[in-house]
Amino acid sequence: MNIQSRNGGRGMSDVLDEREKIAEELLDGVEGEYVEKKRWVLFGLPFSFTKYTIKHDVLTVNTGFFNHQENDCYMYKIQDVQLKRGFFQRMSGLGNVICYTGDTTDKELVLKNIKHSKEVKNYILKNSEVARLKRRTLNTLNIGVGDIGDPDV
């Protein structure tokens, strides 16, 4: 069976064009970039040396004053996003956005005490899906099946 018969008579290029159209439709109405700073929970003041830059293709975390550190994670590597807001965070209008990634340096990226946390979470979730569609990546789950020679299976 060739590719055209499986795709209802459409060629592979038609399927890829359709994926790109879906990705463009998902990006409609999405802002280009978020820049947030880590804040104090009690007063919501941005007195910290941590800055989060979230663009459509990469999430960057800059930390430190004397020892500056920059950590990047491509959007297509972000697999899941979680929002956590404690009592005092809700009072201050802050929240923690936790990104579960397939990145080798950080499996969890935590954006601590940021304003507009719900918007940022939705932005990351939407753009990570668009980035995966554009790169044509596939996320698979490891359900605990061992190798072929594994005696426990």
Side-chain angles (χ1 to χ4, degrees):
M1 179 186 301
N2 63 15
I3 291 174
Q4 277 191 327
S5 62
R6 281 190 290 176
N7 293 326
R10 298 180 301 173
M12 190 60 141
S13 63
D14 293 336
V15 172
L16 296 178
D17 290 339
E18 187 175 316
R19 274 189 160 193
E20 289 177 5
K21 286 179 187 176
I22 291 170
E24 288 174 10
E25 286 175 9
L26 285 173
L27 273 178
D28 285 344
V30 177
E31 295 180 28
E33 173 178 320
Y34 277 95
V35 178
E36 292 288 336
K37 291 190 174 195
K38 181 179 173 182
R39 299 171 183 269
W40 284 359
V41 177
L42 190 56
F43 302 111
L45 299 173
F47 189 71
S48 175
F49 301 106
T50 302
K51 185 172 93 173
Y52 308 106
T53 306
I54 304 139
K55 296 182 182 177
H56 72 282
D57 59 343
V58 70
L59 188 147
T60 305
V61 180
N62 294 316
T63 59
F65 180 69
F66 291 114
N67 296 322
H68 185 77
Q69 183 179 1
E70 184 173 303
N71 187 6
D72 293 325
C73 180
Y74 287 108
M75 280 292 188
Y76 75 92
K77 290 187 176 185
I78 296 175
Q79 298 167 349
D80 196 18
V81 183
Q82 181 180 20
L83 173 64
K84 285 190 176 181
R85 299 174 77 190
F87 179 71
F88 289 111
Q89 286 177 323
R90 286 193 312 261
M91 287 178 56
S92 304
L94 305 175
N96 294 342
V97 177
I98 303 164
C99 301
Y100 299 98
T101 69
D103 197 17
T104 56
T105 56
D106 283 322
K107 297 292 180 188
E108 274 186 18
L109 275 175
V110 181
L111 285 62
K112 290 186 177 180
N113 298 328
I114 59 171
K115 282 197 172 284
H116 314 292
S117 55
K118 185 146 181 103
E119 292 174 22
V120 169
K121 178 195 83 92
N122 291 335
Y123 180 82
I124 292 171
L125 194 61
K126 193 173 207 179
N127 279 329
S128 65
E129 183 64 28
V130 169
R132 278 194 296 277
L133 283 172
K134 280 188 174 182
R135 282 195 175 254
R136 299 179 186 102
T137 59
L138 175 68
N139 286 338
T140 58
L141 278 174
N142 182 2
I143 56 174
V145 176
D147 292 334
I148 294 173
D150 193 6
D152 293 335
V153 177

